[in-house]
Amino acid sequence: MDRLRMLEEISEWLNYSFGSVSIAMIPLVIGLIPMPAGALVSASMLLPVAKGARISAEKLTIINYWFRHVWTPVWPLYPSVIIALAVLGTDYGKYVFSTAPIAALSFLAGLFLLHKLRFTFNPKEIRKLISNLYPILVLIALFLATRILLFSVITAIALVVLHKKPETRLLMQTFRKALDFRIIALVFAVMGYKGIIQLSNSAQLLYSDLSFLPIQITAFVVSFLVGFATGIEMSYSSISLPIFHEFAEEPGNLLLLITAGFFGVMLSPFHLCYALTVEFFRADFAKCYGILIRLVIPVMLFLSLLSVVY
């Protein structure tokens, strides 16, 4: 989609229709597709829009990173949600009831990053948007119907190839670009690190060491540290939730656990999206962290208080 200018066309349509606020809408749309280092996809789409927005690399990095992950606590395509449903043995409706405040409040908090950006509303030529966005829509629809990600991705790619009929040379260039050793190595390294935490039983040992504290504090600390230590969304579902299975049966308690794990991941330096987006925009790592912490802390505190009465 990038090589065929489909992402650029989507960016241009959003920019024309909604002004520079589309800087947030682009990662919001791409966030519907779970993928390792997915923020890099939205980052590449942001470049033509960001040129005229007069925004720092650090703020652009956090806007892209933040809105890319707003869907994570609730969207059924994310492995963290799928694993949580399996671990808890609950249905999707009950799970979303508990976790919806995380997505909603995260979205509202992210709007503070956009207060100086120009907003317009002039949506025209919807066909242009659909003609470039359809691979994403097909991918989502097929995955929801079949639950087979590889089949869904291959089908979406095949439709693009049949529609656009790219040259063989362009297809080969795209394939070579997709095999980025840095991303592949980083994915294996992070997954290996998560495996070490699981095999060493570190989370269970930490729970035992903190058992003298109230269960709410213990659950929050363990879930947050698991998310922070791995930088992978599915980690708090696969490691923390089994430990606190009975505790998480109450909506407020599940809200607390997912809040802690989700924001632990968002603050983790091991998070692929964060590390690679900072590198992509050549942003200052420490300054990005400063912006991110100012977003995370108030949202996490409010949600933690909400979990008491939820």
Side-chain angles (χ1 to χ4, degrees), residues 20 36 42 57 65 88 102 126 136 138-139 157 163-164 166 168 203-204 238 266 269 276 282 285 291 293-294 301:
S20 53
S42 54
Y65 177 59
L88 297 173
I102 307 172
I126 296 293
I136 295 173
V138 167
L139 173 59
I157 291 172
H163 174 214
K164 295 291 186 177
T168 304
Q204 186 69 49
S238 59
M266 289 296 287
L276 293 175
R282 289 178 165 76
F285 195 88
I291 299 171
I293 289 173
R294 288 197 295 272
L301 286 175

Side-chain angles (χ1 to χ4, degrees), residues 142-143 146-153:
L142 282 176
F143 182 77
T146 66
R147 300 291 181 181
I148 305 173
L149 185 58
L150 184 60
F151 167 76
S152 305
V153 171

Side-chain angles (χ1 to χ4, degrees), residues 6-306:
M6 296 175 77
L7 297 181
E8 186 178 336
E9 292 282 344
I10 295 171
S11 299
E12 289 175 357
W13 188 90
L14 289 171
N15 189 33
Y16 175 77
S17 300
F18 299 101
S20 53
V21 171
S22 58
I23 285 176
M25 298 183 70
I26 290 168
L28 200 62
V29 170
I30 297 301
L32 293 169
I33 310 173
M35 65 187 92
L40 277 182
V41 176
S42 54
S44 65
M45 294 172 67
L46 285 178
L47 287 179
V49 181
K51 288 177 182 176
R54 296 181 181 179
I55 186 170
S56 69
E58 289 74 28
K59 194 170 183 180
L60 184 60
T61 296
I62 297 304
I63 288 174
N64 180 60
Y65 177 59
W66 188 264
F67 283 99
R68 161 73 175 80
H69 293 89
V70 163
W71 298 105
T72 304
V74 295
W75 191 239
L77 269 66
Y78 276 92
S80 57
V81 176
I82 295 169
I83 292 170
L85 294 177
V87 169
L88 297 173
T90 187
D91 63 77
Y92 179 65
K94 290 181 180 178
Y95 180 85
V96 169
F97 175 77
S98 297
T99 58
I102 307 172
L105 204 60
S106 295
F107 176 79
L108 292 174
L111 296 180
F112 286 98
L113 294 169
L114 312 178
H115 70 284
K116 292 184 179 180
L117 298 181
R118 177 177 57 88
F119 175 76
T120 59
F121 185 70
N122 188 30
K124 292 182 179 179
E125 299 182 27
I126 296 293
R127 288 177 61 184
K128 179 182 177 182
L129 175 66
I130 295 174
S131 67
N132 290 288
L133 190 63
Y134 75 86
I136 295 173
L137 302 177
V138 167
L139 173 59
I140 293 170
L142 282 176
F143 182 77
L144 288 174
T146 66
R147 300 291 181 181
I148 305 173
L149 185 58
L150 184 60
F151 167 76
S152 305
V153 171
I154 290 173
T155 304
I157 291 172
L159 286 174
V160 174
V161 172
L162 290 172
H163 174 214
K164 295 291 186 177
K165 297 179 175 61
E167 297 177 0
T168 304
R169 177 181 55 82
L170 187 141
L171 284 174
M172 295 305 297
Q173 288 175 350
T174 305
F175 181 72
R176 284 195 295 268
K177 184 180 178 182
L179 292 175
D180 189 326
F181 176 75
R182 293 174 304 168
I183 296 177
I184 294 170
L186 197 52
V187 170
F188 274 96
V190 172
M191 292 299 290
Y193 183 53
K194 180 182 79 76
I196 290 171
I197 289 178
Q198 286 179 310
L199 291 171
S200 63
N201 216 19
S202 299
Q204 186 69 49
L205 291 172
L206 180 62
Y207 171 54
S208 300
D209 291 339
L210 296 175
S211 58
F212 64 93
L213 294 171
I215 184 66
Q216 290 83 359
I217 296 176
T218 305
F220 183 92
V221 170
V222 171
S223 189
F224 180 86
L225 289 179
V226 165
F228 184 82
T230 60
I232 304 175
E233 284 89 359
M234 71 178 88
S235 63
Y236 55 80
S237 293
S238 59
I239 299 174
S240 303
L241 281 183
I243 297 174
F244 298 99
H245 182 279
E246 293 183 7
F247 174 75
E249 290 178 357
E250 293 294 325
N253 295 339
L254 180 58
L255 171 62
L256 182 69
L257 272 168
I258 302 300
T259 293
F262 172 65
F263 287 112
V265 170
M266 289 296 287
L267 287 174
S268 175
F270 302 109
H271 195 159
L272 287 172
C273 286
Y274 183 72
L276 293 175
T277 307
V278 169
E279 180 186 343
F280 182 86
F281 288 120
R282 289 178 165 76
D284 184 278
F285 195 88
K287 288 181 181 178
C288 288
Y289 238 109
I291 299 171
L292 185 60
I293 289 173
R294 288 197 295 272
L295 278 175
V296 167
I297 297 300
V299 175
M300 192 164 61
L301 286 175
F302 183 85
L303 287 168
S304 298
L305 292 173
L306 180 63

